Amino acid sequence: DQLDVDGNVIEHSSLNGQYIFSNIIANHTINATAKLIMYTINASVDSQSFINNSGANKYLRHSNVEFLFGPNDPDRYFISNVTVDGNQLDVNSLNHKYEFIDLISDHSIQIESQHIFYNIEYSVDEHSIITGPTKVDKYSDAVISFSVNDDRYKIFKIVIDGIEYDGETIGNAYTFNSV
């Protein structure tokens, strides 16, 4: 915003919307120049996520601006966190989009994803030992080992995902392929 009075630029914000010519004894000129009011929305994501219009983008005052976002690989990742203006939102209620309505200030939106993991739960009797990961990344392999803590015992049976296996047939390890 700029106001030019008789060739002199005057700071528009100091005028409160008016300019007064006092003691007029000559011709005068006045020229007002306006500019659009724009606001910046900073949109950022982690390396496993995407958002349309990433970066710092300017939008016209009173605009409605919608952002669409998601994981780059939805088979292996999920959106875990959406933060708008420093406030964490309920990811489940957003349906992979967020809209700023009637812009009147600058804003920010940040998207984060996490790996999809599966849990492996173990239970043993007092003579058995199971070792291996308890949390496994989707599509990865996991090797689970079986042993005993007393050489008077051997693994008799193993139940994996509800299926019973003979301890001698399965051996001392089992591999979950492409969890």
Side-chain angles (χ1 to χ4, degrees), residues 152-169:
R152 296 178 296 165
Y153 293 87
K154 66 178 181 177
I155 298 295
F156 173 68
K157 73 176 177 179
I158 299 165
V159 179
I160 300 171
D161 292 335
I163 301 171
E164 188 172 303
Y165 296 90
D166 178 87
E168 289 187 27
T169 304

Side-chain angles (χ1 to χ4, degrees), residues 69-90:
F69 54 84
N72 292 329
D73 181 356
D75 253 7
R76 297 189 74 175
Y77 294 87
F78 66 97
I79 297 299
S80 60
N81 190 25
V82 176
T83 305
V84 173
D85 298 333
N87 299 307
Q88 190 171 351
L89 304 182
D90 176 11

Side-chain angles (χ1 to χ4, degrees), residues 43-45 50-55 57 59 65-70 96-98 109 111:
S44 61
V45 295
F50 72 87
I51 191 168
N52 65 320
N53 299 321
S54 181
N57 295 286
Y59 300 94
V65 182
E66 183 175 73
F67 286 88
L68 304 175
F69 54 84
H96 296 278
K97 63 183 176 180
Y98 183 83
I109 181 168
I111 308 300

